[in-house]
Amino acid sequence: MKNVTSIGVREKFISSAQNSKILARKCKDCNTIMLATILYCEKCHGKKFNLIEYPGKGYVDTFTIHTVPPEGFEDVESYAWVVFTVDDVLLRASGFLPGIKKPSDLPIGSEVEVNGFDKKHGLVLKKI
Amino acid sequence: MESVCILGAGSTKYGKLDESIIEIALTASVDAIESAGISPEDIKAGYISNVFGVADKQVHMAPVIMSNLGLSHVPGLTIESACGSGSVMFREAFANIRAGFYDCVLALGVEKVTHTGTNQSTTLFSYCSDFFYEGGNGASFPGLFASIARAYMTKYKADEEDLANVAVKNHENGLLNPKAHVRKRITVEDVLNSPVVASPLKLYDCCPFSDGASAVILCNEKFAKKSGKPYIKVIGSGRGGSPAAVQGRKDISTIPGTVIAADQAYKMAGISPHDVNFAEVHDCFTIAEIIDVEDLGFFQKGKAASEIRDGATSRKGRIPINPSGGLKSKGHPIGATGIGQIVEVFEQFTGQAGERTIKNAEIALTHNFGATGASAAVHIFKKVN
Ligand SMILES: [Zn+2]
């Protein structure tokens, strides 16, 4: 794979998530780390990267719980949509965390882990 | 470079409208043309903003509207930038007048969505997010702003009453706007007791889905002066961008595109935030207005909630915000919203705002963004006496 290409990156991101990992891109010029789905370096606009899989563990930055779930999520009893920071990396991602019924179930800073990628619900998280 | 002026403005009522998208677009266009006192043949180009035309079985909006105005030979351009479509489109119309390509153009925003119902509208709006990470992972639009609200409230120790104060103030203003969608006085208790949509946001923290169309006539100053009609000047214009996904922002309690756009607009106008006498800002959710007024430089970060509580943003406050009622009360027909804000400024500065009039105002700002702020635009206007 060329250093900068969009071909297959999302599929690779999804297969990493299926292995509880977050696929990132580390810039060879300035060491900035971004989600693999962003193509050029956001900081120096460099084109050369190493693809790195980070353990998909992190902590909750913010979240919401919908009273009425949007289309495609009606089959889930209750869930939180979560923005989290990957441990030890200045990198955020977001995902779907089932089983959260009320805000007190998920204090800010709670630890979460990537628990797969669901065809219907996207990046799935679990509380750890 | 040409000075850019607004010579006329028109708008339908915002709300649930029965007419087709083309009919409401034409109504607002004709109102703007009549208000400017121009002949249709004066219009050299049509700039149209719209997002969900497909929901009313119409895309390729600009040429269809121009044709129905009897101006099929006039070039039209349709622009989509989610909820920021109107201001993003206005910027292109502004740039073309400023550059001297045209002396007079129509800028029209239009949206028709209420006939699809709340569920379908919610789905359509979720397509404005970075869907792979947001809509596709279960975030609705209120859900995204709810997450932003929780991040802001955690960082700055704001509470749900702080959010409610924004809704109460904007509903108070909307009572004076005959074209507002939701004309209803509400209390902080009403907001706090309304059902939770996406925690921590409740029903009254959210703007309504609205239909509506708004239009303005832009021209150069020579054209405006020759017309003999009242006009206002556009003295600043800025555009900015933010990461499309909330996760991409270093600080979730600010919208980078607003800061960039405002900085550009203030520089072009040669003014600072303290010179602005009132502003129409993007309050799609109450939290958005709190963040906007900080990002626009009216208040320090983290201070807006207490300033709003103390009345600084009310019609008689230090910096009145959303005298029209804002998206919250006036309504949010997303393709029209950015132009609707400019219609309000035109009415304020040409003696047509009635009881909403902000006394002694000379400089006004409009701020509008797409989705959670990925595309933002700020414009600054000056009254011409
Ligand atoms: Zn770099």
Side-chain angles (χ1 to χ4, degrees), chain B residues 79-321:
Chain B
I79 288 176
E80 183 273 307
S81 202
C83 318
S85 299
S87 60
V88 167
M89 173 273 283
F90 181 83
R91 157 77 164 208
E92 299 310 306
F94 166 84
N96 275 277
I97 296 281
R98 191 167 156 89
F101 283 111
Y102 305 117
D103 60 359
C104 179
V105 303
L106 167 72
L108 163 78
V110 62
E111 205 64 58
K112 182 98 198 303
V113 76
T114 63
H115 60 290
T116 67
T118 302
N119 288 349
Q120 179 65 16
S121 296
T122 303
T123 299
L124 288 171
F125 275 59
S126 75
Y127 298 157
C128 299
S129 71
D130 186 340
F131 199 81
F132 183 72
Y133 289 109
E134 297 183 328
N137 288 344
S140 68
F141 234 77
L144 292 171
F145 275 94
S147 306
I148 292 171
R150 195 183 301 284
Y152 182 95
M153 291 159 83
T154 303
K155 183 167 179 178
Y156 294 116
K157 311 279 178 259
D159 61 24
E160 293 176 17
E161 202 172 313
D162 293 327
L163 302 181
N165 286 331
V166 173
V168 171
K169 184 261 299 171
N170 287 349
H171 276 251
E172 196 70 32
N173 292 348
L175 279 173
L176 301 176
N177 187 343
K179 290 186 173 171
H181 184 169
V182 186
R183 298 181 73 192
K184 180 182 175 186
R185 179 170 282 119
I186 56 170
T187 64
V188 167
E189 289 68 35
D190 291 333
V191 183
L192 297 179
N193 293 329
S194 66
V196 174
V197 172
S199 69
L201 297 184
K202 303 178 186 67
L203 184 64
Y204 278 133
D205 286 304
C206 310
C207 71
F209 293 114
S210 312
D211 306 325
S214 295
V216 294
I217 302 294
L218 293 91
C219 62
N220 63 31
E221 196 163 18
K222 188 177 161 197
F223 188 103
K225 277 187 172 156
K226 204 173 151 194
S227 77
K229 302 282 281 188
Y231 64 92
I232 68 172
K233 274 187 170 185
V234 190
I235 58 169
S237 172
R239 285 286 332 271
S242 313
V246 172
Q247 66 189 18
R249 301 175 192 175
K250 285 184 179 62
D251 179 356
I252 298 175
S253 63
T254 184
I255 292 174
T258 296
V259 177
I260 296 166
D263 188 50
Q264 288 174 11
Y266 288 134
K267 277 203 180 98
M268 187 186 286
I271 65 164
S272 80
H274 298 291
D275 297 316
V276 176
N277 300 124
F278 75 89
E280 287 281 313
V281 309
H282 196 86
D283 60 321
C284 49
F285 298 91
T286 48
I287 183 62
E289 180 165 316
I290 291 175
I291 291 176
D292 297 341
V293 294
E294 294 176 352
D295 288 344
L296 291 166
F298 300 141
F299 306 113
Q300 286 176 6
K301 282 309 290 182
K303 301 287 187 208
S306 61
E307 293 277 2
I308 292 167
R309 193 184 314 126
D310 294 343
T313 61
S314 69
R315 282 198 316 284
K316 290 185 178 160
R318 175 165 76 74
I319 171 74
I321 300 293

